[in-house]
Amino acid sequence: MRNTLLLGLRPPLTEKAPGLEDPELAALASTVKEAAERALGRSLAIRHVDAGSCNGCELEIHALGNAFYDLERFGFRFVASPRHADVLLVTGPVTLNMREALQRTYDATPGPKWVVASGVCAADGGVFAGSYAIAGGVASVVPVDLVIPGCPPSPAALLRGLLALMRGGSK
Amino acid sequence: MSASLRVSPANGAEWREATRLLAAGEATLVSLWGDDGRMRMAVRQASGALSFVEVACEDGSFPSVASVHAPADRLERAACDLFGFTARETADKRRWLDHGRWPLRHPLGQAVPHDGAPDAYPFLNAEGEGLHQIPVGPVHAGIIEPGHFRFHAGGESVVRLEERLGYVHKGVDRLMRGANLERGGVLAARVSGDSTVAYGVAFARAVEAALGIEAPPRAHGLRGLMAELERIANHFGDIGAVCNDAAFALMHAHCGILRERTLRTAKAAFGHRLMMDAVVPGGVAVDLTPEGAEAIRALVRHVRTTFPGLVQLYDNTASLQDRTVGTGVLNVDLARRFGAGGVVGRASGRDFDARRDCPYPPYDAFSFEVPIRRAGDVNARIWVRIEEVGESLSLIEAMLLRLAGGPVLATLASAGSACEGFALIETFRGEVFAHVRLANDGVVARCHLRDASWFQWPLLEAAIEGNIVADFPLCNKSFNCSYSGCDL
């Protein structure tokens, strides 16, 4: 049994970290006004908020924790309360039924804080834009610091985005 | 399925008869939904045949089904919210999807402006000495979808749980109205992202039934492969996550690896990790290359080598089973009465799987076991998932072996007149019912998609009763109901 479990993790499955020279990371970083690392050091607490997603983004955010992406090696961790968070990672077009909950989650997060919009729905409402039940993208409710595109963004794209937030940008 | 839809007379006699059958336990509710000026209902009789009835809402009201058959409650309330109908004789007049926050009421019926001021929502009460309430959500502590859970607890024990959902309502039904088939498919693929393939197939088959066309044989084979990859990816995720909620992170880590390998295989074979938009009306949008097929074969080989060790780990860890055995028991009678599909129903003795019992291609050409347990606890739901993974692996191998050649997409010729069709398609959570009505010009006039979770969510309220509050995440994860799929 022990062999089965240990062999399942060999060779090391963890993906190489995207370097600063990664063009996609550099492009995302250039959109960030102030790098979180400069403000907080190398540790970011992330609170995820589903504001109307189809659950596709959630699956890929979950995958960030698996042995391949191993988010915690970069100092990121998911926390259970916005009061413990530095970053809100928001998915979905913001539904009118979730707008107040998102606003209150944002208000409960202490500053300095960053908001990352994950996926095309969070960017501008995506395929749900124009619906009577949708407020729009995340930026229509709270200020957004970074948009990670994709439907859903792959874990690699999410990782690049979070690293860009940590390292990138100039103010 | 291409059975024609029976239109019943407007006097509601058939509606009342269907309601009587449901209340007597002689039929299972498949779905209940609103359409222009009428309510419609699909029921499955003991013989297995589906029948459709409808009733005109002449004065804006219709005879309530929920008043005698509880599983209809939320579907009925949702239809009333969207169309502005009133259910006569119902005890539960609370709105369901409409929280009062939209700029209008009755978006699919005679819409009236609304100021967006939230409605009050009186939760059902529980009374007794020392009882207290615990409100949870809509924003939850984990990386999951939003919904509100109202617990009444006596000490650590749950006395009553009531769910309030609707938070991720995106207005899919209205966006569907007037959509062309391409956009309709894109919307259907995003009703519940974890089941995007199955929803794609459900929408496509309903459209194909309406138009009277059949996708090419190779497309059927590829849809089946995608659906089974989707099933095992989700089952790996769920098995790991349930164990994680019992603080057994090791299982979660290893299942996470298997899930990731499955998604990477899907990407290699079908171009997208979740295979979103790969199924389209008429067939599939992406063909499988020999390299893609080999990637799938390699995945099956890998899972066959590694997964049995994990199953053994689960089976041999008494401290883990101490949390899962006897926890969150859903009794067999309730599962039957609510027509609970998927793992939730099959772990409580309901022997139903749309792939086998309402067969559609490619499943009509393959035989497979449908694992059943009767204990109805968290452990039973884990075992049904474990055994389904094994069945899916065999199905994938067989489908690859017998994959037809030829085109993967049929031409969609417009019927030139109004038409409708339906489909009942098995997702990893249970069956999704799709009903599509097309207008003369070929656009969608009405599309109703009923997720399996509509009949599973209410049962979670029953299963948690008497358990400790701390076991709620475990029970909830073992059900893994969809929020977005029901909120639409």
Side-chain angles (χ1 to χ4, degrees), chain B residues 17-30:
Chain B
E17 173 59 11
T19 307
R20 190 194 64 78
L21 288 174
L22 290 173
E26 292 167 31
T28 307
L29 183 61
V30 173

Side-chain angles (χ1 to χ4, degrees), chain B residues 75-245:
Chain B
L75 283 165
E76 197 167 280
R77 289 160 67 193
C80 290
D81 288 356
L82 296 179
F83 284 87
F85 301 147
T86 312
R88 293 196 296 269
E89 303 111 33
T90 183
D92 193 351
K93 296 185 192 309
R94 296 173 298 172
R95 294 190 177 89
W96 180 246
L97 297 177
D98 184 353
H99 293 190
R101 294 175 184 272
W102 308 334
L104 75 178
R105 301 278 194 194
H106 322 142
L108 277 86
Q110 289 181 335
V112 290
H114 176 66
D115 60 7
D119 299 330
Y121 193 83
F123 284 93
L124 301 176
N125 208 7
E127 287 176 10
E129 199 182 348
L131 292 191
H132 59 285
Q133 286 190 39
I134 310 174
V136 180
V139 178
H140 294 158
I143 304 169
I144 56 169
E145 300 182 84
H148 184 89
F149 300 116
R150 183 65 59 96
F151 295 94
H152 281 81
E156 283 197 83
S157 298
V158 178
V159 173
R160 166 173 250 167
L161 161 67
E162 189 182 6
E163 298 143 0
R164 188 190 189 196
L165 305 178
Y167 289 92
V168 291
H169 176 75
K170 295 178 269 291
V172 171
D173 287 43
R174 186 148 120 196
L175 290 170
M176 278 282 187
R177 187 189 274 176
N180 62 27
L181 295 183
E182 186 190 355
R183 174 155 163 83
V186 167
L187 285 168
R190 285 157 183 78
V191 166
S192 186
D194 44 36
S195 316
T196 180
V197 171
Y199 266 89
V201 175
F203 179 77
R205 284 199 64 77
V207 167
E208 290 157 11
L211 296 176
I213 62 161
E214 194 62 61
R218 186 171 174 83
H220 287 318
L222 296 178
R223 285 177 178 180
L225 281 170
M226 286 191 251
E228 294 311 310
L229 286 173
E230 181 172 89
R231 173 177 302 271
I232 63 171
N234 281 304
H235 280 357
F236 289 143
D238 287 347
I239 294 166
V242 174
C243 295
N244 198 44
D245 278 341

Side-chain angles (χ1 to χ4, degrees), chain A residues 1-158:
Chain A
M1 175 58 64
R2 199 182 57 173
N3 283 350
T4 315
L5 295 174
L6 291 177
L7 289 175
L9 296 168
R10 283 189 202 146
L13 301 172
T14 317
E15 296 282 337
K16 197 165 158 279
L20 282 173
E21 68 288 352
D22 182 286
E24 280 183 58
L25 195 156
L28 283 173
S30 69
T31 65
V32 179
K33 286 197 207 71
E34 187 191 3
E37 187 181 15
R38 278 200 291 280
L40 296 177
R42 248 188 68 99
S43 173
L44 274 194
I46 306 169
R47 171 65 251 185
H48 158 257
V49 183
D50 176 341
S53 157
C54 74
N55 202 27
C57 285
E58 282 60 40
L59 295 177
E60 295 296 52
I61 292 171
H62 258 292
L64 285 173
N66 73 30
F68 291 85
Y69 304 104
D70 190 16
L71 188 72
E72 298 207 0
R73 72 188 142 138
F74 301 105
F76 300 113
R77 68 204 156 85
F78 284 99
V79 292
S81 165
R83 297 187 198 283
H84 305 155
D86 308 308
V87 176
L88 292 183
L89 180 58
V90 188
T91 62
V94 183
T95 64
L96 292 176
N97 286 352
M98 272 302 288
R99 181 165 59 182
E100 186 191 346
L102 173 61
Q103 180 69 54
R104 285 170 66 170
T105 305
Y106 180 81
D107 293 344
T109 309
K113 57 189 164 190
W114 288 261
V115 174
V116 177
S118 157
V120 291
C121 293
D124 62 5
V127 300
F128 304 105
S131 167
Y132 64 88
I134 297 295
V138 176
S140 65
V141 181
V142 295
V144 168
D145 297 278
L146 179 69
V147 175
I148 306 175
C151 184
S154 65
L158 287 164

